[in-house]
């Protein structure tokens, strides 16, 4: 797993969220609460049109843009379960959360392929 995914807090403004999209250029930004717990993700495909709709840049993220059911993985998941989660996700990366749902990093499909290679004795 890797650390440092593009992350914003729930209370940040739309301008701050937009800045994270521009800095990192990922299709999703992860959203955490004040305690660092994963709340969901925001898609640039939903966010950009919303920003162009005439909203105030100082507004907070509206509930309808937050994908609270965004898939995530945990360190306790076996490879089979992680594969299952990735198979239902079209993106390249998934957030990694601990047992208390704190965001710890992310796992990419490339990382997963490397882990699979190690688990079968190297390819």
């Amino acid at each position: 797993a890797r650390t440092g995914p593009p992350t914003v807090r729930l209370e940040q403004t739309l301008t701050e969220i937009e800045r994270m999209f521009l800095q990192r250029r990922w299709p999703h930004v992860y959203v955490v609460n004040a305690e660092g717990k994963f709340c969901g993700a925001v898609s640039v495909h939903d966010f950009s049109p919303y920003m162009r709709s005439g909203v105030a840049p100082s507004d907070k993220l509206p509930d309808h843009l937050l994908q609270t059911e965004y898939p995530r993985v945990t360190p306790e998941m076996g490879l089979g379960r992680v594969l299952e989660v990735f198979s239902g996700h079209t993106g390249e990366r998934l957030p990694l959360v601990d047992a208390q749902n704190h965001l710890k990093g992310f796992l990419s499909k490339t990382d997963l392929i490397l882990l699979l290679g190690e688990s079968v004795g190297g390819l």
Side-chain angles (χ1 to χ4, degrees), residues 1-48:
R2 300 171 190 261
T3 58
T7 306
V8 295
R9 291 182 322 277
L10 267 177
E11 67 272 9
Q12 287 185 275
T13 66
L14 294 174
T15 297
E16 292 168 320
I17 297 169
E18 183 177 47
R19 189 175 304 123
M20 181 58 71
F21 274 118
L22 293 171
Q23 287 173 352
R24 296 298 295 276
R25 302 216 177 267
W26 279 30
H28 290 90
V29 167
Y30 301 150
V31 181
V32 297
N33 66 14
E35 293 81 40
K37 291 190 176 188
F38 182 73
C39 299
V42 178
S43 164
V44 70
H45 301 292
D46 297 333
F47 186 80
S48 293

Side-chain angles (χ1 to χ4, degrees), residues 65-85:
L65 289 184
L66 181 61
Q67 299 172 18
T68 57
E69 298 301 316
Y70 196 81
R72 62 208 76 172
V73 294
T74 68
E76 296 78 30
M77 284 181 177
L79 277 178
R81 178 70 183 117
V82 172
L83 270 172
E84 198 177 300
V85 175

